[in-house]
Amino acid sequence: MCSYEDIEDQFRFLGADFLKEFKDCCVIQQFEAKTELMYEGQNVKFIPVVLTGLVKVFAMNEDRELVYYFVRPKQSCIMTFSAAFRDGISRVSAVTEDPTEVLLIPVHKVLRWMNLYPALNRFFYSEYDLRFAEMIDMLNKVVFHRLDRRVMDYLHQKVEITGKNPVKVSHKDIANSLGTAREVVSRILKKFEHEGNIRQNSLGIEVMVPL
């Protein structure tokens, strides 16, 4: 769990004047699961920082999703931040996976603060480093891993991110996230279940094998 105070603590080294302006201009909003926060082509007006919940960041290609990364509590969407420095147009979509609370920082304020408080770059540099590593890992899996391994990796990731096992996720959601067909995912999950690697029931998919 994360709160506004946790985020504020990350920026306390910038001083009281910054913290006052930060608190005055930021907005906290709550969203239900499966809520679209951003779509490709949208004008970016806010940079989000997740307080609670989970956000999926992805792009669409011929009606299929390509998931870039998940934004967890105390993290931000660096693709949104990047858009603010280009033309202000988002090149990704973002959807909540769970009920999610988000801190919204106005883009014009961030651009101003970058000049007034250069040390603020620390936060965004660390986010760039994290996202770059995640996207490289995602590309390696797409290119080098068999689909059945990618499905199991996805389930392990969901367990790790949510802290829940079983995880409530549909075959269609898995297929969309991995850029494949639901029928293919269903066959792989049936195979996993037969091998004793997972259990499926009304609570979701329970992963039986360790990471």
Side-chain angles (χ1 to χ4, degrees), residues 7 46-50 57 69-81 103 105 123-124 127-128 130-131 134:
I7 301 301
F46 295 93
I47 293 175
V49 179
V50 173
V57 178
Y69 50 79
F70 292 93
V71 185
R72 311 183 196 189
K74 298 181 72 172
Q75 296 179 354
S76 182
C77 175
I78 207 63
M79 296 292 286
T80 304
F81 179 73
L103 177 73
I105 311 174
F123 175 76
F124 294 107
E127 287 292 301
Y128 265 115
L130 173 65
R131 299 307 171 203
E134 288 182 341

Side-chain angles (χ1 to χ4, degrees):
M1 295 292 289
C2 173
S3 67
Y4 168 81
E5 287 73 23
D6 294 323
I7 301 301
E8 192 177 58
D9 283 341
Q10 288 187 277
F11 301 125
R12 197 168 298 281
F13 69 95
L14 294 172
D17 289 342
F18 172 82
L19 290 178
K20 182 180 185 306
E21 188 175 0
F22 183 80
K23 187 172 185 178
D24 289 344
C25 75
C26 292
V27 176
I28 296 176
Q29 289 191 13
Q30 295 182 341
F31 301 93
E32 297 297 324
K34 308 304 179 185
T35 300
E36 183 179 63
L37 302 182
M38 181 71 65
Y39 57 85
E40 293 180 59
Q42 181 176 342
N43 186 261
V44 176
K45 296 181 179 180
F46 295 93
I47 293 175
V49 179
V50 173
L51 299 179
T52 62
L54 186 68
V55 175
K56 177 174 66 177
V57 178
F58 62 96
M60 296 298 298
N61 185 5
E62 297 181 354
D63 297 326
R64 291 189 178 181
E65 294 179 4
L66 177 62
V67 177
Y68 289 142
Y69 50 79
F70 292 93
V71 185
R72 311 183 196 189
K74 298 181 72 172
Q75 296 179 354
S76 182
C77 175
I78 207 63
M79 296 292 286
T80 304
F81 179 73
S82 177
F85 280 90
R86 296 193 312 268
D87 52 11
I89 303 300
S90 175
R91 286 163 173 75
V92 297
S93 297
V95 173
T96 58
E97 288 280 280
D98 303 313
T100 300
E101 189 174 44
V102 180
L103 177 73
L104 300 173
I105 311 174
V107 164
H108 71 278
K109 286 290 187 179
V110 173
L111 297 179
R112 174 176 172 271
W113 291 337
M114 298 297 285
N115 292 321
L116 291 178
Y117 307 97
L120 183 62
N121 287 314
R122 295 182 198 173
F123 175 76
F124 294 107
Y125 285 155
S126 65
E127 287 292 301
Y128 265 115
D129 183 64
L130 173 65
R131 299 307 171 203
F132 182 75
E134 288 182 341
M135 291 177 71
I136 290 296
D137 182 59
M138 178 271 294
L139 288 172
N140 283 335
K141 288 178 179 178
V142 170
V143 173
F144 299 113
H145 291 184
R146 288 162 47 99
L147 185 57
D148 56 354
R149 178 175 172 183
R150 290 174 58 208
V151 170
M152 183 57 73
D153 286 345
Y154 176 88
L155 293 174
H156 275 128
Q157 183 183 44
K158 290 289 288 185
V159 170
E160 178 192 359
I161 289 174
T162 63
K164 299 175 182 178
N165 192 18
V167 289
K168 196 73 172 177
V169 59
S170 70
H171 294 192
K172 181 174 176 56
D173 286 339
I174 299 172
N176 287 342
S177 295
L178 298 181
T180 187
R182 180 190 59 78
E183 293 79 8
V184 175
V185 169
S186 295
R187 285 198 298 270
I188 290 173
L189 293 176
K190 186 175 182 180
K191 171 176 171 287
F192 285 164
E193 193 166 30
H194 179 73
E195 295 170 345
N197 294 326
I198 66 168
R199 279 202 297 248
Q200 300 185 84
N201 52 48
S202 60
L203 299 177
I205 301 174
E206 183 178 4
V207 181
M208 310 301 294
V209 294
L211 181 63

